[in-house]
Amino acid sequence: MSLFALAGAIETGLLFSLVALGVFLSFRVLDFPDLTVDGSFPLGAATAAAAITAGADPFLATAAAALSGAAAGLVTAMLNVRFKIMNLLAGILSMVALFSINLRIMGRPNLPVYGYDTVFNRFGSLFDFGLWNDTILLAIFAIGAKLAIDWFLRTEIGLALRASGENPSMSEAQGISNGGMRYLGMGLSNALVALAGALFAQMQGVADVSMGIGTIVTGLAALIIGEAVLGRRSVFLATLGCLVGALIYRLFIALALNAGFIGIKAQDLNLVTAVIVAGAVILSQSRGRLQMPPPPLIPATTKREG
Amino acid sequence: MLRLTDIRVTFNANTASEVRALQGVTLDINTGEFVTVIGSNGAGKSTLLSVIVGTVRPDYGTIWLGTNEMTDWSAARRAQHVARVFQEPRLGTCGSLSIAENLALAAKRGQQRGLRLALSGSRQQRQFADLLARLELGLEDRMTTPIGSLSGGQRQAVSLLMATLLPMRILVLDEHTAALDPAAAARVLALSAEIAGSQKLTTLMVTHSMRDALALGTRTIMMDRGRVALDIKGEEREKLDIPDLLDLFGQATGHAVDDDQLMLS
């Protein structure tokens, strides 16, 4: 593998570790299998690209993208909490709706940001690390997000979020609003994913409405690989696993694409990813270590029927 | 203090599996009373507790805490006044969190949670250690252990601490010793009585054991088919033994106690 390909793999790995951290918050901490991700990733890209081409400061555009992702997460949470739509369906509805919204935001299926100032150009004009410039900026984002989540999950609210995801009955008895926690967690999770989308668009030089396909599977792959390597004994290790898992995953993909001996091409990527995730889950079931957490023992609230 | 008026709860209304869990329960519980609740399966004991903690909303009737009506309060909102210990130890605690983290969650029950670190400072640590030391289980030296690795009895003892960590008004114990071995059950039961007594809590305890129902507390309610069949306190209760209780129950309901699970001894 060339140095260039290696740098590319590390960049993409760091970028998708943001997605993995978002997926960690929804799937693991909140126990909410959230498929909004496939829509909030291109939403971040579209928002950032639209803002940048309209002349906005790239850092501001990136922040706006993260906020748009948070809004998407809140919509999914509202469908689930307020209107009692099943979590999987709530995410799918948001994802489908976002496809149209992303087209609206960009005004067309794809929006190049070539020639505009991006966070990478800005960073490059401040520091000069040559080939590793983008990598270092992405590492700052990824490690920063990891440390921020580590801190947040140790705060009073963060602890409440963890309790709510793991044991809704208990958290309710401790005065924690499980619905409120779902809003918070989904907002944070999708903000991270949209941030990744915004950075991805600026890194690739273009936002594309179809760039979100398979984002959730990639994020899950990174999460599961990370858990296989580092376990999930603590929050610190779990979030570190998101970074490590995403890097391993992208390096593996880069190697497979480079080697060429089994005839894997770029278009096979989603298939390979799905196979990796399925394989990792099947393997983990036989070892009983990486399974999805079991559903809560008893529903938190018995609703009045009829 | 705690007043329930004509509470009615029906599950799966207008379907084949309709269950009339509560059919007009009216109760007045005074401050500091320790009420033991007994009855066969399906009598409505658990539904009664669920109505009080707020996980089940009644179809009809009102619930008052002092002069505040709390019928429409969510369970989370009631949590600052009403604390609960679950039957199943796993339900009352968060397995992957440490003992200290579980206690920290309970230390903020019903209060605004902020962005301060949940585990902060040696003062809090000492407070938790002192509390745990009261259990005499050696848990004060294992505060960073995930609570999931403790035995059921230990978890239940911590649950009880968590429920009573903050000042509150009503303690609800839902067969909280049923899942424990006899020795652990006895210890947790004694601890419950001690805490309820020392903190002068208004307590409701559901139990399957008639002996416990009479031995503990100041008042005993026997439920049958969604109604309060017997309500005994004071001197009358002092003199009562289990056969008397069964007689009274028979007179009140016109049928005998019909549940193998109800421990008659």
Side-chain angles (χ1 to χ4, degrees):
Chain A
M1 196 193 316
S2 69
L3 191 61
F4 191 71
L6 178 71
I10 293 175
E11 279 167 20
T12 328
L14 287 168
L15 192 123
F16 274 98
S17 66
L18 290 172
V19 176
L21 286 168
V23 170
F24 166 71
L25 281 180
S26 55
F27 273 68
R28 288 293 188 252
V29 177
L30 209 54
D31 196 20
F32 191 117
D34 174 32
L35 302 186
T36 317
V37 169
D38 270 26
S40 50
F41 186 78
L43 172 66
T47 308
I52 286 172
T53 51
D57 176 87
F59 283 99
L60 217 60
T62 307
L67 281 179
S68 71
L74 291 180
V75 170
T76 305
M78 185 172 74
L79 290 174
N80 176 249
V81 175
R82 177 91 179 70
F83 299 108
K84 318 250 181 284
I85 295 175
M86 184 194 153
N87 48 21
L88 275 171
L89 181 59
I92 290 171
L93 289 174
S94 291
M95 178 185 85
V96 169
L98 282 169
F99 189 84
S100 299
I101 290 171
N102 293 338
L103 280 170
R104 280 281 185 181
I105 290 173
M106 293 193 291
R108 47 193 175 137
N110 57 64
L111 188 58
V113 291
Y114 297 116
Y116 291 94
D117 246 6
T118 67
V119 290
F120 296 103
N121 299 343
R122 282 287 179 83
F123 186 73
S125 65
L126 288 174
F127 309 96
D128 187 16
F129 299 106
L131 176 64
W132 300 101
N133 243 325
D134 293 4
T135 316
I136 286 167
L137 181 60
L138 285 165
I140 292 172
F141 273 107
I143 295 170
K146 179 232 182 301
L147 293 176
I149 291 174
D150 287 352
W151 165 80
F152 175 69
L153 290 179
R154 289 170 58 216
T155 64
E156 291 165 1
I157 296 181
L159 208 58
L161 187 74
R162 289 160 72 187
S164 173
E166 183 180 331
N167 190 343
S169 303
M170 177 264 199
S171 75
E172 195 176 41
Q174 297 303 333
I176 297 163
S177 155
N178 288 320
M181 288 300 135
R182 246 172 284 170
Y183 279 105
L184 177 66
M186 293 294 289
L188 284 176
S189 163
N190 283 287
L192 278 169
V193 175
L195 171 66
L199 294 174
F200 194 64
Q202 295 175 67
M203 193 168 87
Q204 303 274 308
V206 62
D208 190 294
V209 73
S210 66
M211 70 197 279
I213 297 170
T215 308
I216 182 64
V217 185
T218 308
L220 269 179
L223 180 69
I224 289 170
I225 294 170
E227 286 173 353
V229 177
L230 292 174
R232 45 204 271 202
R233 286 182 302 278
S234 69
V235 169
F236 183 87
L237 285 178
T239 51
L240 187 64
C242 290
L243 268 71
V244 170
L247 284 169
I248 291 176
Y249 169 71
R250 291 310 306 196
L251 285 171
F252 176 82
I253 295 282
L255 274 175
L257 288 177
N258 263 269
F261 56 86
I262 31 176
I264 292 178
K265 295 202 169 114
Q267 62 262 41
D268 302 326
L269 225 126
N270 281 359
L271 177 64
V272 173
T273 309
V275 169
I276 290 175
V277 172
V281 173
I282 291 163
L283 207 80
S284 68
Q285 277 167 355
S286 59
R287 284 195 307 163
R289 182 171 154 208
L290 300 168
Q291 288 169 37
M292 295 290 177
L297 292 164
I298 290 176
T301 306
T302 316
K303 294 279 158 12
R304 187 167 74 191
E305 310 265 340
Chain B
M1 170 66 185
L2 179 67
R3 164 173 289 181
L4 286 80
T5 61
D6 202 13
I7 297 289
R8 292 157 196 260
V9 174
T10 304
F11 294 116
N12 309 319
N14 306 318
T15 67
S17 55
E18 179 178 286
V19 179
R20 295 190 172 179
L22 293 179
Q23 306 187 49
V25 170
T26 299
L27 262 184
D28 249 314
I29 298 172
N30 294 324
T31 307
E33 263 189 326
F34 189 131
V35 183
T36 57
V37 183
I38 197 162
S40 51
N41 272 339
K45 313 180 297 286
S46 285
T47 310
L48 178 69
L49 293 198
S50 301
V51 164
I52 293 170
V53 299
T55 50
V56 169
R57 300 287 171 84
D59 304 310
Y60 187 85
T62 54
I63 309 158
W64 297 78
L65 181 70
T67 53
N68 298 314
E69 185 180 349
M70 60 172 191
T71 318
D72 292 328
W73 293 9
S74 70
R77 180 164 175 207
R78 291 183 201 192
Q80 58 175 302
H81 304 297
V82 183
R84 172 183 194 185
V85 180
F86 293 85
Q87 175 174 359
E88 173 59 54
R90 276 178 302 171
L91 280 181
T93 48
C94 217
S96 77
L97 301 183
S98 70
I99 297 175
E101 284 172 325
N102 272 281
L103 286 171
L105 276 170
K108 283 277 163 189
R109 188 182 60 229
Q111 299 176 10
Q112 191 68 41
R113 292 169 204 267
L115 287 175
R116 287 174 299 273
L117 288 181
L119 294 180
S120 56
S122 51
R123 229 180 84 208
Q124 184 202 39
Q125 295 288 313
R126 264 202 309 280
Q127 186 209 347
F128 289 170
D130 288 348
L131 281 169
L132 288 165
R134 281 172 61 189
L135 302 177
E136 294 173 5
L137 295 169
L139 297 179
E140 61 275 19
D141 303 322
R142 300 171 61 190
M143 295 221 294
T144 55
T145 310
I147 212 158
S149 62
L150 304 187
S151 73
Q154 291 171 327
R155 276 180 90 157
Q156 206 64 327
V158 177
S159 294
L160 193 62
L161 268 194
M162 287 167 62
T164 53
L165 188 61
L166 289 183
M168 42 85 198
R169 301 165 78 174
I170 292 167
L171 176 63
V172 170
L173 307 169
D174 186 4
E175 293 188 50
H176 66 309
T177 59
L180 307 181
D181 64 75
R187 202 164 52 231
V188 170
L189 211 56
L191 191 68
S192 314
E194 185 198 318
I195 291 178
S198 67
Q199 300 188 19
K200 299 189 175 54
L201 299 172
T202 306
T203 307
L204 275 111
M205 181 178 89
V206 165
T207 174
H208 257 122
S209 157
M210 290 212 164
R211 194 187 45 175
D212 290 346
L214 287 179
L216 284 166
T218 58
R219 178 175 174 186
T220 296
I221 287 171
M222 204 154 173
M223 295 198 62
D224 182 59
R225 299 175 189 177
R227 293 194 173 87
V228 175
L230 273 183
D231 185 351
I232 315 159
K233 59 182 161 184
E235 219 171 292
E236 186 192 5
R237 183 174 178 273
E238 299 289 306
K239 302 180 299 204
L240 219 58
D241 59 14
I242 293 166
D244 297 340
L245 189 62
L246 290 172
D247 280 348
L248 281 175
F249 181 82
Q251 287 166 24
T253 64
H255 63 88
V257 173
D258 52 358
D259 187 352
D260 298 338
Q261 279 196 311
L262 201 59
M263 286 181 284
L264 300 179
S265 57

